[in-house]
Amino acid sequence: MRARKIGRLFTGIVFILAGLNHFRQPQLYRAIMPPYLPWPGFLVALSGYAEIALGVLALAPRMQRQAGWGLSALLVAIFPANLHMALHADVYPQIPAWLLWSRLPLQALLIAWVRWCTNHQRSAS
């Protein structure tokens, strides 16, 4: 169980920092938004707030399961942007195409990680 707690702490901190980065470097996130999505600035801010909030919730033992579901949903929601980047690697010449494609299966591993470290059953005591 200690490994799950450490994993949950790491996950919460990483998502909080990633969410904060949406406001520190919004142009980075706007640049990777698929053109078919409306309101890129709003969506960048929304995803940043979601990462921060869900990261904080992941750190709260009573909310960890809900945070895990929320983070999983967030990772699914951003998958189309990752797919768009891989399919249009020429638009992102600063990122190697192999890296863009390798992020796709990594998304499933991230979801599995989040589910594992936030799905701890609390004992009734």
Side-chain angles (χ1 to χ4, degrees):
M1 293 307 156
R2 183 168 171 80
R4 283 183 197 247
K5 286 182 182 182
I6 292 169
R8 191 167 44 87
L9 176 65
F10 176 76
T11 299
I13 290 170
V14 165
F15 274 96
I16 291 167
L17 292 175
L20 289 171
N21 200 48
H22 281 68
F23 302 100
R24 187 170 173 257
Q25 298 181 337
Q27 71 285 358
L28 173 73
Y29 297 92
R30 285 183 188 183
I32 64 173
M33 291 291 283
Y36 54 82
L37 292 177
W39 315 298
F42 171 76
L43 292 176
V44 166
L46 181 64
S47 60
Y49 285 126
E51 287 182 0
I52 294 166
L54 291 167
V56 169
L57 288 178
L59 299 176
R62 293 186 185 269
M63 298 301 295
Q64 69 187 40
R65 293 188 74 183
Q66 293 86 343
W69 283 110
L71 289 170
S72 297
L74 181 64
L75 289 166
V76 169
I78 64 172
F79 184 81
N82 292 341
L83 180 60
H84 174 81
M85 289 179 73
L87 291 172
H88 303 282
D90 56 311
V91 177
Y92 310 97
Q94 70 279 18
I95 306 171
W98 68 266
L99 185 58
L100 295 173
W101 283 102
S102 66
R103 287 174 21 162
L104 300 179
L106 180 61
Q107 204 82 1
L109 292 175
L110 286 172
I111 292 169
W113 168 264
V114 164
R115 296 299 307 134
W116 176 78
C117 67
T118 60
N119 200 25
H120 174 65
Q121 295 288 340
R122 294 180 48 140
S123 61
S125 53

